[in-house]
Amino acid sequence: MGSTKQQIVRDVRREPTNTPDALRLDSSNWSQWWYYPALGVESRTHWSEEKIQLPNGRMKWIGGWKPLERLATPHATGVALRQKYFGEGAERLATKFRELGADLVFVGQKMVAKDSRFVQDSGSDIMLLKFHKSFCETQYKAAKFAQAFNRKLLEVPGLAVKAPRISFLDCSVYIVYDGELGRT
């Protein structure tokens, strides 16, 4: 028999999915979040694909990481990551993630941060991005299929206005520096 390496599941704190959202970081909830000022956010990227023409005339989709502004909200001064996880899948854990304004009020969209369920070495930016690649690539492709589907709905009499539309969230990866954990 071949050997398989069993992965060790991380021991993390969990919270109910219906835990109310705070509007800001303050003394009542400071210990429930990890806070990273903008300087601690090293990068933010997202997966994108483009169609290129090969020398033989055929078309091919090429994907890769595209850099973004470090923070999505123009007046954000940092990010906050909830210390407890509210969701768990086969490979990933989910926790609340927000950008913060100067007065520590949450700004921009509510976001979800996903991390591995398993103990792993955080390593380099390349290793961190490799972990998230398949998820972001799948999310990107699903969004493209949804856009095509929605365009086709417009051609169907009686459905152009009534039918619900499908959409997928844009997926980006923030890499932050934590004094104790390193890059994460």
Side-chain angles (χ1 to χ4, degrees):
M1 283 191 181
S3 66
T4 59
K5 182 180 176 185
Q6 184 157 351
Q7 293 181 301
I8 300 168
V9 176
R10 292 172 50 201
D11 183 24
V12 297
R13 298 185 318 173
R14 291 169 174 77
E15 68 183 354
T17 57
N18 61 352
T19 301
D21 289 332
L23 299 176
R24 63 179 301 125
L25 282 184
D26 58 33
S27 60
S28 70
N29 65 9
W30 186 260
S31 64
Q32 299 167 5
W33 295 82
W34 286 302
Y35 167 69
Y36 301 96
L39 292 176
V41 179
E42 294 190 0
S43 65
R44 183 171 71 100
T45 61
H46 76 124
W47 185 262
S48 183
E49 294 183 357
E50 57 187 274
K51 205 173 192 179
I52 63 165
Q53 186 170 3
L54 300 174
N56 65 5
R58 289 185 157 177
M59 301 302 286
K60 180 178 181 178
W61 285 97
I62 300 289
W65 293 107
K66 306 289 184 205
L68 300 169
E69 293 292 326
R70 282 192 300 166
L71 298 169
T73 309
H75 57 282
T77 60
V79 297
L81 182 68
R82 187 87 171 162
Q83 291 185 16
K84 292 182 178 179
Y85 293 90
F86 70 83
E88 184 173 351
E91 296 178 351
R92 290 176 173 78
L93 297 164
T95 190
K96 295 175 183 180
F97 181 78
R98 297 297 307 268
E99 290 187 342
L100 293 163
D103 51 1
L104 298 182
V105 170
F106 294 126
V107 296
Q109 295 182 334
K110 293 179 181 179
M111 295 182 271
V112 172
K114 295 192 175 181
D115 202 356
S116 175
R117 281 185 64 226
F118 306 107
V119 174
Q120 63 182 18
D121 294 328
S122 58
S124 67
D125 291 0
I126 292 170
M127 291 303 293
L128 291 169
L129 290 173
K130 183 179 177 185
F131 169 75
H132 293 289
K133 179 182 182 264
S134 65
F135 177 77
C136 289
E137 186 176 20
T138 301
Q139 193 87 351
Y140 179 86
K141 289 179 178 180
K144 291 298 178 192
F145 284 125
Q147 291 167 4
F149 177 81
N150 292 338
R151 282 192 301 273
K152 285 292 186 185
L153 281 178
L154 294 173
E155 300 170 10
V156 179
L159 290 181
V161 181
K162 294 180 187 176
R165 301 302 188 256
I166 298 172
S167 63
F168 286 82
L169 299 174
D170 187 28
C171 181
S172 46
V173 176
Y174 288 70
I175 296 177
V176 297
Y177 181 79
D178 184 289
E180 293 180 26
L181 302 174
R183 283 188 172 96
T184 186

